[in-house]
Amino acid sequence: AGAKAGRYLFEVRVLDRKAGDWKGGDWTDRDYVQAQGTLRVGLSLAGSSLLLGDGSSDQVFFYEDGAFSAPTPEVSRHHPQKVCKQPMASKVVALLLNLDAASPSASTVSLFLDGVRACAPQKLPQHLLGKALYPTISFKNMTLAVNMGSGGAQLRKLPFSCRMFGDLSAEDAETSRRVRPAQGSRYRVVVPVGLPSE
């Protein structure tokens, strides 16, 4: 379910990283970063791309190094801004969506690392306001634990109370309108194992 109002949180923790294969030759910074893995944590609209950072304007997200990206329909290849001082590595990453109109930080998204605020609240782009936003995570060469808050449990407590995405209230939630398969039919799952140009 996606949130269209209220204030909600989800958490991600890297459990394991797999070092990528080095194919020999010169080892560039880009090769090193890709071999170490990639983590992007954010929010997107229902039906948008599952890959954060693919040029879609239907998403906002944080890169593992603490940069924030909020593409717009006019500028889909948004240049991320470094907003966090610390990288996400080896920490419990919490993404907080604040759509509470009464809050001074309304219409923002924030990042917390091990329960501590990592950056100032980042404004959501105008074209995403009033629409349900769904937790979205893109990763490569790593194993993650994702906590949507079963029973409201958090991996790391924040300095204030906040509901988890797994505990969305009915009036704040919007469920995806994806059509269920007909009786006797099955879902088809597609798992990408490679991406163009990688």
Side-chain angles (χ1 to χ4, degrees):
K4 58 184 179 181
R7 192 171 72 161
Y8 295 96
L9 169 81
F10 72 94
E11 295 173 307
V12 177
R13 180 179 207 162
V14 176
L15 299 177
D16 186 37
R17 288 179 177 272
K18 177 190 175 299
D21 297 329
W22 181 47
K23 295 177 178 54
D26 292 335
W27 186 259
T28 67
D29 288 342
R30 185 174 191 273
D31 293 332
Y32 177 78
V33 168
Q34 287 191 353
Q36 294 303 308
T38 302
L39 175 62
R40 296 173 183 164
V41 179
L43 301 154
S44 62
L45 299 178
S48 67
S49 172
L50 298 176
L51 300 173
L52 296 172
D54 71 345
S56 168
S57 63
D58 295 343
Q59 52 192 234
V60 294
F61 62 95
F62 290 92
Y63 287 89
E64 188 172 9
D65 67 357
F68 178 69
S69 182
T72 64
E74 299 80 29
V75 185
S76 61
R77 285 289 178 191
H78 179 264
H79 296 288
Q81 302 294 317
K82 183 81 169 192
V83 295
C84 301
K85 293 181 175 135
Q86 296 180 15
M88 295 180 195
S90 304
K91 296 183 172 49
V92 173
V93 178
L95 188 131
L96 171 70
L97 173 63
N98 188 348
L99 298 174
D100 180 0
S103 169
S105 297
S107 303
T108 62
V109 60
S110 296
L111 194 72
F112 292 81
L113 301 175
D114 284 338
V116 178
R117 183 178 288 282
C119 63
Q122 302 300 305
K123 279 288 199 195
L124 290 171
Q126 192 68 33
H127 71 283
L128 295 180
L129 299 179
K131 299 176 182 172
L133 294 169
Y134 294 76
T136 310
I137 303 161
S138 295
F139 62 98
K140 176 181 169 183
N141 288 341
M142 56 184 65
T143 304
L144 303 177
V146 178
N147 180 25
M148 294 294 168
S150 177
Q154 291 179 348
L155 299 175
R156 293 286 187 272
K157 292 289 184 191
L158 300 183
F160 51 86
S161 63
C162 182
R163 292 174 78 171
M164 302 286 289
F165 264 89
D167 190 30
L168 271 168
S169 69
E171 63 269 7
D172 293 346
E174 181 178 296
T175 56
S176 175
R177 293 183 179 93
R178 298 283 182 201
V179 178
R180 293 194 179 273
Q183 184 87 17
S185 298
R186 295 185 177 182
Y187 284 105
R188 190 174 112 202
V189 177
V190 178
V191 179
V193 293
L195 298 173
S197 77
E198 288 200 16

